[in-house]
Amino acid sequence: MFILPNLNEWNRQSVNVMQAMLGMISPNFRMVTLDHDGTKWLIGFVLEIVNAEDCEELNDFEAEWEALQDDPTPCDFQISYTAESLPMPHAPKRALYRRREVVLIQD
């Protein structure tokens, strides 16, 4: 069934993601996003490089996020690795965390 969440659900899941992230963000994390495709929540993590400690934190995140749900909540956790420039996501996708990065402008 295709149902878009209302604003209260978006806000609740945003807080749940941030609560589940407490203490897990390392300098390797570049961005964390929340989106919904009509059937499930999409939580995206962009890291700069593959790192065993961060991978373990991401596994812990899934359990922490699920523990914050009142009922079984369909979700897909998406992890990508890149050092390329990251555009800001377009609504309704939310950036819940974004690392401060220096953009070098070449002449």
Side-chain angles (χ1 to χ4, degrees):
M1 179 188 289
F2 187 82
I3 299 174
L4 292 176
N6 63 38
L7 182 59
N8 286 337
E9 292 166 325
W10 272 98
N11 290 340
R12 180 172 182 269
Q13 292 304 334
S14 295
V15 171
N16 286 347
V17 170
M18 291 186 287
Q19 286 294 122
M21 286 190 321
L22 287 175
M24 76 174 263
I25 299 294
S26 75
N28 190 33
F29 281 78
R30 297 187 64 206
M31 186 162 54
V32 178
T33 59
L34 177 67
D35 200 0
H36 197 279
D37 69 0
T39 61
K40 64 185 174 292
W41 291 101
L42 306 171
I43 302 174
F45 297 91
V46 180
L47 285 74
E48 189 165 1
I49 60 171
V50 177
N51 173 300
E53 187 175 333
D54 289 334
C55 289
E56 185 175 323
E57 290 291 341
L58 288 167
N59 287 334
D60 291 344
F61 170 85
E62 290 185 35
E64 294 287 333
W65 183 82
E66 288 171 359
L68 293 167
Q69 305 306 311
D70 293 332
D71 299 307
T73 305
C75 185
D76 185 19
F77 300 98
Q78 304 167 337
I79 303 167
S80 61
Y81 303 90
T82 184
E84 299 293 320
S85 177
L86 287 177
M88 284 299 287
H90 292 89
K93 182 186 268 189
R94 294 181 177 188
L96 301 179
Y97 169 81
R98 180 155 175 150
R99 177 176 82 179
R100 181 181 359 183
E101 298 182 353
V102 176
V103 177
L104 299 176
I105 299 173
Q106 297 179 354
D107 294 328

